[in-house]
Amino acid sequence: MRCLLFAAFLLAPAVARAELGINVYGFSYHFERGRARELGFDNQVNPGLGLRYQRPWRERVDFFVDAGAYRDSGRNTAVVAGAGGLWKATARLRLGAALAVLDSDTYNRGNTAIGPIALAAWEFGPATLNVTFFPKIAEINEISTLGFWLTLWPARW
């Protein structure tokens, strides 16, 4: 019991600085637009919702976990979850990576896929604009795509 109390005491500052955000999924841009249209993966409006748990890990790095669902480029429901880090490059710019799990009939022939993704984020007060790049990878993702979404931080309102 004492060990649990001691661990809780040590973890309390990190948990106190943690934030819970709401991911509002949004938009995609397909670099091979003709190929995207041909495959039926040309939907560029990708509404959906998710959550982000974020907390400081080091002075200039935040750890995060995301989970959510959205309507993907093939007009199917995509479920995504991942964890990673964001380096504070400047006062507002964050650069990072995550390991993500994606399940959708659109990608990887409908099989669940896991892989790394690159992220860039721009912090502006109560919201963060997130951008990710999904490269063309044979049989997994047939079109290079940028994805855009907002993370809203209720505690900052």
Side-chain angles (χ1 to χ4, degrees):
M1 182 64 166
R2 288 183 187 169
C3 288
L4 289 175
L5 288 174
F6 182 68
F9 176 75
L10 290 178
L11 292 175
V15 172
R17 292 180 294 163
E19 287 187 274
L20 189 61
I22 301 165
N23 288 332
V24 180
Y25 299 109
F27 300 97
S28 58
Y29 176 81
H30 308 96
F31 289 96
E32 298 93 9
R33 297 173 67 89
R35 180 75 176 138
R37 219 174 355 271
E38 195 176 293
L39 293 169
F41 299 164
D42 58 344
N43 182 36
Q44 296 191 91
V45 177
N46 312 106
L49 291 172
L51 294 174
R52 174 173 285 178
Y53 169 82
Q54 182 171 298
R55 70 175 185 83
W57 180 54
R58 297 279 190 259
E59 182 181 337
R60 295 187 52 92
V61 179
D62 287 341
F63 168 77
F64 70 91
V65 176
D66 275 2
Y70 63 94
R71 188 158 176 84
D72 68 21
S73 297
R75 295 168 182 80
N76 293 303
T77 298
V79 177
V80 64
L86 288 168
W87 171 61
K88 299 172 185 174
T90 70
R92 295 194 184 272
L93 178 64
R94 308 290 184 257
L95 302 173
L99 187 60
V101 177
L102 177 70
D103 186 62
S104 168
D105 288 340
T106 301
Y107 307 105
N108 197 32
R109 293 188 225 165
N111 297 313
T112 301
I114 185 170
I117 59 169
L119 293 167
W122 186 259
E123 296 272 340
F124 53 97
T128 301
L129 173 63
N130 302 279
V131 180
T132 189
F133 176 66
F134 299 105
K136 180 179 179 178
I137 301 173
E139 299 179 15
I140 295 174
N141 183 34
E142 298 188 46
I143 300 140
S144 296
T145 306
L146 291 174
F148 303 88
W149 74 97
L150 285 176
T151 303
L152 305 175
W153 302 103
R156 298 182 193 176
W157 295 344

